[in-house]
């Protein structure tokens, strides 16, 4: 059988780390999207306050099955 | 608290101007999407009729919060 | 009147061909999206098994009207 | 019937605005090219004189039918 | 002897297939351009009607000799 | 004589328009940089508030002579 | 266990079709590389003779396991 | 009021981690630049010694206000 | 003396972290390649299972000397 | 007065050097195009024979005025 | 100790050659910047007069240490 | 007969010139690779010492036949 996947683009933010920002985005998606399969990082940014990194902001494309 | 944003890609068209095409896309999104925060232009095109620009077509990525 | 279009990104897979993978993605979208107008190929990949192409996987952006 | 389109790349300049630079390029093309259908902006630059924008220079790809 | 080549950008369309769209563009070019040597695909798009691919539209750069 | 130019990257913002954002960046640069010659737009973004474009944010690379 | 994959870049050519060119590259690789898993198309070109496509030339990155 | 931001490109290195390399670059900038607001990662590299990652080298664009 | 370096492209995977995936790829390469000098990240992806990141998959280009 | 420029893409080849390939392309263009103003290198390739560079092949976009 | 490098973007011009344009940019930078370590070419252009290359214009990013 | 080509990525360095760096990479490859056909420049960098270009470092993809 031939599958079809959809990709959505999300930006997760975290005060802790780049990975935590990605996991925050994936966790938020898991509330409404089932059958997530992969992600790809498309941008890594951050917010600076008082001369220090205050938030890590990572944008990911998340792919999930939509064929059933 | 850590936020999550989603990005959608829309193309607005306008007979008037590039900016009007962008504002048309943002206005249309505001009918169904709340908490829009930013946009980024990804493509500027147009339709030509009788040797003149008939429609400006601008594609934007629009980011909005989805974490609540 | 000024139109607005939305673009979604889908990946179709097929055991047969690149075109069949695209048509699979378009056919799947037609179940929930009306007024589809165009697509653009953004990536052509595939899965290899036993030294042969087992699945063609083609990612397309599909544009459709959302202004009414 | 299957159509064929050709794309040419032009740079229009204007003292007035980005859009006027595009329309200048389209108008110039209309003198020798018929059946123009679309354009796509590939670069937006400008010339600065005395600390101010003196000319807007916008490069567009213009597509037109060549199959008859 | 040192050769010089020129590249032109054409979009062929076809109701049949991606390859037919490319061959349509090459065939149309052969009516006015001699000494064509190579092509490179720069974009693969299509038009959707009634939920199905109605036209395949493939843009190619075609290179040909101009030094004699 | 051979010239040398330096490029700096600035983001201008404006409540009014894309062009005003560019001119704001150029005007601000003219206070400290002399001999500015050209600019190139590298990104066009904006801030959305209450479903409308609140600020246009345009990033430009500005080139100026540094050889004397 | 954590896997490691290597990617090699190959160009297959074919007088028949784009897909045949890809399958030619994969088949050739299967003679010396085991455990191939995926490919990604990075370029589609061709050779033109007498105004017709004489060879399809498709470049693919092929990924395979190297961790055992 | 309309703001203007400048972007500078820095490469931070660290023996510890990718994030530490970014924070090293931001910390160094804070000594001479005030009003830093955001950063964007443009490249992630590293130096290898004796078959192991010896330094993480991350390049970031850092944006800061310059309008007052 | 003039040196020559070769670059190979590897994808490391890890259940732990992005950095561990890179170090896994570098460690695997050190078994067969000597004189590795640098790496550059070209893609950061991951596999999702049960709504969580199951594997981090990072692709790197690794450069090493080949001139002796 | 507002100017319009057209850009054409040419590939010059040379047995001698990269610069000679560019100058060959410009010289060939000067036979049919007047008012050439600038060029931009878009690709540098070459042909290898018997383990040595036999031809340098450089592709340039050449801009020239078309408004009178 | 962990180092920090800054990158600046310069365009050197030369009537002689591509390399001379790069060396002109580096030489100019050495008057005000110490501890320069590397450069990367980002664009190669030129000015054409009377159908010949009049100036070679090469843009480079130059990296230098800023951590002491 | 249908051919298959493989591409490898090498960086040549030279104290003399950009072309010499390319020829150094090609010459080194000719010791182990037969049937080399073409190369493409993917990056031009250099090392700076005492305010002058000390080494030219040019990365090329080299294509060669592997089908027999």
């Amino acid at each position: 059988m031939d599958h079809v996947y959809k990709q959505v683009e999300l930006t997760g933010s975290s005060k802790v780390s780049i990975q935590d920002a990605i996991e925050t985005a994936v966790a938020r998606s898991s509330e409404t999207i089932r059958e997530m399969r992969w992600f790809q990082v498309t941008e890594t940014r951050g917010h600076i306050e008082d001369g220090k990194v205050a938030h890590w902001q990572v944008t990911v494309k998340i792919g999930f099955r939509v064929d059933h």
Side-chain angles (χ1 to χ4, degrees), chain A:
Chain A
M1 218 201 87
D2 297 333
H3 302 309
V4 178
Y5 303 85
K6 188 175 176 181
Q7 294 181 44
V8 289
E9 195 161 28
L10 293 173
T11 302
S13 73
S14 164
K15 288 177 182 165
V16 181
S17 69
I18 291 172
Q19 291 197 189
D20 190 50
I22 296 171
E23 285 164 337
T24 296
V26 171
R28 176 61 185 82
S29 295
S30 71
E31 294 172 19
T32 53
I33 299 174
R34 298 162 70 88
E35 304 264 15
M36 290 190 295
R37 295 297 166 83
W38 83 88
F39 71 88
Q40 177 180 6
V41 174
T42 58
E43 192 174 54
T44 303
R45 300 172 70 102
H47 190 60
I48 302 174
E49 282 176 15
D50 297 328
K52 288 179 185 160
V53 179
H55 287 89
W56 302 90
Q57 301 163 326
V58 186
T59 302
V60 289
K61 282 193 180 178
I62 296 178
F64 55 98
R65 279 187 60 185
V66 291
D67 53 301
H68 37 215

